[in-house]
Amino acid sequence: MPHFRIRDAADLLGVSDDTVRRWVDTGALDATKDDAGRLVVDGAALAAHAREHAGAPASDPTGVARSARNRFVGLVTRVVVDGVMAQVEVQCGPHAVVSLMSADAARELALEPGTVAVAVVKATTVVVETPRSAS
């Protein structure tokens, strides 16, 4: 089972080292000491903590029900229209989602920086990568 140093756990959760230390101090997150005497957090415990404390997604302003589960509400930050195609960037919390669509679609949706948009991702393939082990 992987273990993460406090700094690495903080990076993965998008919080400060101090926040993770407070969680450990208050018992909200369990930590042990490694062979070098440094605090480490068990990977499974970190994953459970991340799931339990994930922020609620922004509410979907469309009111439309869809089968797609990967829906990200955010703000359009950039629109580049070039001929018949448009590149639209949407900032959804800490994640940027980029969509390529027809220029006509971008105009019909009146997409411009500051517009609220919902990025719906429907893919048959999701690639999962892991860092190489240090062995």
Side-chain angles (χ1 to χ4, degrees):
M1 183 59 60
H3 286 81
F4 297 94
R5 292 177 63 183
I6 297 297
R7 177 187 63 224
D8 297 328
D11 287 344
L12 289 167
L13 296 177
V15 298
S16 71
D17 298 8
D18 289 337
T19 297
V20 174
R21 284 188 189 90
R22 277 193 297 277
W23 288 338
V24 169
D25 290 345
T26 62
L29 187 60
D30 290 329
T32 58
K33 293 200 177 197
D34 65 8
D35 294 337
R38 297 174 298 214
L39 279 178
V40 292
V41 179
D42 173 74
L46 187 62
H49 185 85
R51 179 177 288 254
E52 291 168 15
H53 296 89
S59 59
D60 186 338
T62 65
V64 175
R66 290 190 182 87
S67 64
R69 296 293 178 242
N70 298 321
R71 302 167 54 82
F72 306 99
V73 178
L75 286 173
V76 174
T77 56
R78 186 169 183 236
V79 179
V80 178
V81 178
D82 184 17
V84 297
M85 294 300 293
Q87 178 179 323
V88 178
E89 296 179 16
V90 183
Q91 191 68 39
C92 305
H95 305 288
V97 179
V98 179
S99 176
L100 300 176
M101 65 182 69
S102 71
D104 286 343
R107 282 190 288 274
E108 287 172 15
L109 293 170
L111 296 174
E112 60 183 37
T115 305
V116 173
V118 180
V120 180
V121 179
K122 188 73 172 178
T124 57
T125 303
V126 175
V127 177
V128 176
E129 300 176 338
T130 61
R132 289 187 178 179
S133 65
S135 53

